[in-house]
Amino acid sequence: MDQTTPILLVPGLASSARIYAPVIPALWRFGPVMVANHIRDDSMAAIARRVLSEAPPRFALAGHSMGGYIALEIMRQAPERVLKLALINTQARPDTPEATARRRGLMERAKRGELRAAREEMFPELVHPSRRDDMSIRRLVHEQGEDVGIEGYLRQQTAIIARVDSRPTLSTIKCPTLVLTGDQDNTIPNAFSKEMVERIAGARLVILDRCGHLPQPEQPEATARALAEWLEG
């Protein structure tokens, strides 16, 4: 009897299927792996609806950063379809006024054709301090930006700005849940991961050593191991 579980992976802001490439080889033995396209709509509700329309009937769901926001929206729209949930370097909180102002500034820069320059400036914030000179990860960030494109990026930022506060619904999550983060994530501090674990019954917290906001390329073996254990559990 086939016991495989379809696995749906959701990338983050200005991120594409490439972000999961380092860990997919460790996951595919558990079931077919699909990476969601999340660049076509400008609200979390619409993104989640489209992802659900293209997803298998039931699946294990993992979302990284913005992908976590989408995953939490999927949990509101169709919790019965999610067998397991992994929230990677993400948070349940809505945008702060400061974060929204920063996003709007980045959107204006994107419209002026300065998005690549902005990503270059932000790169040191995305990774552990020891990887600020890692050219392979820097190249990955820029390649993903090209995958998403300016219009896709603007839609994503619009959706993120308007996202709802997911904290009130965390207690409704009943499926096995992994919350994974880095010990030095300067983009979404791991205190927000701990907050989610406290509100999701039975959730397991994994904090990776020497890791920033991009665990898949920063700590691929540890990330793959945590996700494999989540799928096996």
Side-chain angles (χ1 to χ4, degrees):
M1 183 176 177
D2 185 3
Q3 297 294 326
T4 58
T5 301
I7 303 157
L8 177 60
L9 307 174
V10 190
L13 171 67
S15 183
S16 68
R18 297 176 195 264
I19 193 67
Y20 286 105
V23 300
I24 285 176
L27 305 183
W28 70 270
R29 64 189 173 92
F30 295 100
V33 179
M34 172 182 175
V35 182
N37 181 321
H38 63 331
I39 67 173
R40 295 166 291 177
D41 301 284
D42 63 1
S43 75
M44 289 295 164
I47 294 170
R49 280 195 298 271
R50 194 192 293 260
V51 170
L52 283 164
S53 74
E54 297 171 346
R58 301 192 76 198
F59 50 89
L61 173 64
H64 174 231
S65 195
M66 176 192 178
Y69 310 155
I70 297 166
L72 290 170
E73 177 62 30
I74 287 172
M75 293 303 299
R76 281 189 288 274
Q77 291 189 18
E80 72 284 355
R81 293 179 59 183
V82 181
L83 298 167
K84 298 184 177 188
L85 175 66
L87 300 168
I88 304 170
N89 292 74
T90 191
Q91 63 179 326
R93 296 184 174 213
D95 237 26
T96 63
E98 295 78 13
T100 294
R102 187 183 190 200
R103 292 187 197 284
R104 294 198 187 283
L106 288 168
M107 292 168 75
E108 289 303 315
R109 292 189 68 181
K111 293 173 185 176
R112 296 197 300 267
E114 300 174 9
L115 189 53
R116 183 182 178 88
R119 282 196 297 267
E120 183 72 20
E121 294 166 14
M122 295 169 61
F123 180 76
E125 300 177 27
L126 290 175
V127 296
H128 186 272
S130 66
R131 295 185 184 85
R132 288 174 178 167
D133 295 323
D134 189 317
M135 294 308 297
S136 64
I137 299 179
R138 188 183 297 264
R139 183 167 58 251
L140 170 66
V141 168
H142 287 306
E143 287 173 346
Q144 291 189 113
E146 295 301 318
D147 292 340
V148 171
I150 292 174
E151 293 305 316
Y153 176 80
L154 294 174
R155 285 189 288 269
Q156 288 183 334
Q157 288 284 35
T158 299
I160 292 173
I161 288 169
R163 74 185 189 276
V164 302
D165 187 345
S166 292
R167 287 173 294 179
T169 55
L170 291 176
S171 62
T172 68
I173 296 173
K174 304 303 181 186
C175 63
T177 301
L178 166 69
V179 178
L180 185 146
T181 185
D183 63 343
Q184 293 194 48
D185 186 342
N186 293 317
T187 302
I188 301 179
N190 60 44
F192 297 149
S193 291
K194 296 173 183 176
E195 178 180 69
M196 292 190 294
V197 168
E198 291 172 357
R199 299 186 183 209
I200 301 173
R204 175 173 175 245
L205 176 65
V206 174
I207 300 177
L208 302 182
D209 293 334
R210 293 175 57 78
C211 187
H213 191 61
L214 306 177
Q216 302 95 323
E218 290 191 69
Q219 291 286 8
E221 292 181 4
T223 302
R225 184 165 55 250
L227 290 171
E229 290 174 356
W230 163 67
L231 290 167
E232 286 173 337

